[in-house]
């Protein structure tokens, strides 16, 4: 019987890898490398946060787990890390297709960082005023795009009697409300 295998590659984030070398219940040697990973997509879109308020439905990203050859642990030195995974699709014992990770090539380090979305509310969440600190984020910087600058023309002695204004010596006031200071 001829067995056909389909091969493909995909970007994955390896979360965990652990080589094992032990004996099964009958005393036979077993070794390999357990790998836990997530599919990345082309640019990380497969790992975008998901929102599902219905507790009867699943939410999130389920990790994949496989056992690879023991020697492949030498290639898995960074976790979490972005890898190019080589997969083979075979037919399982139940007749369904099975995707198996066969090899990996390191691409880049992965940093998992929190994001705060203004106005996003979840039942039971921490107080929004504490989010940045608890998430380990820097305090929110003042947004210069909302800053209003107002130039207040100063009256000089020579123009004060004439009732005209001059921009010479004008004061610059800044504020979020757009009101002049001083």
């Amino acid at each position: 019987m001829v067995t056909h295998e389909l091969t493909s590659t995909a970007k994955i984030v390896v979360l965990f890898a652990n080589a094992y070398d032990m004996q099964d219940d009958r005393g036979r040697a077993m070794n390999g490398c357990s790998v836990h990973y997530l599919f990345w997509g082309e640019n990380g879109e497969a790992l975008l946060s998901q929102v599902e308020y219905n507790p009867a439905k699943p939410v999130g990203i389920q990790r994949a787990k496989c056992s690879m050859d023991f020697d492949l642990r030498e290639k898995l030195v960074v976790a979490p890390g972005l890898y190019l995974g080589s997969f083979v699709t075979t037919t399982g014992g139940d007749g369904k297709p099975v995707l198996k990770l066969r090899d990996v090539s390191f691409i880049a380090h992965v940093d998992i960082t929190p994001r705060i979305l203004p106005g996003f509310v979840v039942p039971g969440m921490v107080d929004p005023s504490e989010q940045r600190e608890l998430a380990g984020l820097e305090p929110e910087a003042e947004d210069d795009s909302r800053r209003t600058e107002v130039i207040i023309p100063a009256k000089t002695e020579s123009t004060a009697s004439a009732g005209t204004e001059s921009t010479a010596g004008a004061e610059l006031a800044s504020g979020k409300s757009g009101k002049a200071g001083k």
Side-chain angles (χ1 to χ4, degrees), residues 146 148 150 174-180:
R146 289 185 261 162
T148 306
V150 179
S174 298
K176 289 183 179 178
S177 66
K179 295 180 181 177

Side-chain angles (χ1 to χ4, degrees), residues 86-127:
S86 296
F87 293 87
V88 62
T89 304
T90 61
T91 305
D94 59 0
K96 295 181 181 178
V98 177
L99 189 65
K100 294 182 178 182
L101 183 61
R102 290 287 189 228
D103 197 9
V104 294
S105 299
F106 179 74
I107 298 172
H109 292 266
V110 173
D111 293 328
I112 299 172
T113 58
R115 264 187 329 142
I116 294 177
L117 302 176
F120 184 75
V121 179
V122 175
M125 71 186 279
V126 299
D127 188 291

Side-chain angles (χ1 to χ4, degrees), residues 21-95:
D21 190 1
M22 58 187 171
Q23 293 181 348
D24 68 8
D25 296 338
R26 296 181 183 174
R28 294 179 294 198
M30 288 179 45
N31 66 22
C33 181
S34 179
V35 181
H36 298 228
Y37 63 95
L38 302 170
F39 285 97
W40 177 259
E42 191 56 38
N43 296 303
E45 65 277 0
L47 296 182
L48 293 177
S49 293
Q50 299 175 11
V51 177
E52 175 56 66
Y53 287 101
N54 183 346
K57 295 182 178 179
V59 64
I61 304 156
Q62 189 168 5
R63 61 109 174 107
K65 178 182 175 185
C66 70
S67 183
M68 298 177 65
D69 289 337
F70 184 84
D71 295 335
L72 289 174
R73 172 59 181 88
E74 292 177 4
K75 291 180 146 188
L76 295 165
V77 297
V78 176
L82 183 62
Y83 291 81
L84 184 63
S86 296
F87 293 87
V88 62
T89 304
T90 61
T91 305
D94 59 0

Side-chain angles (χ1 to χ4, degrees), residues 154-156 158-166:
K155 292 189 178 190
T156 61
S158 61
T159 59
S161 59
T164 59
E165 296 178 345
S166 167

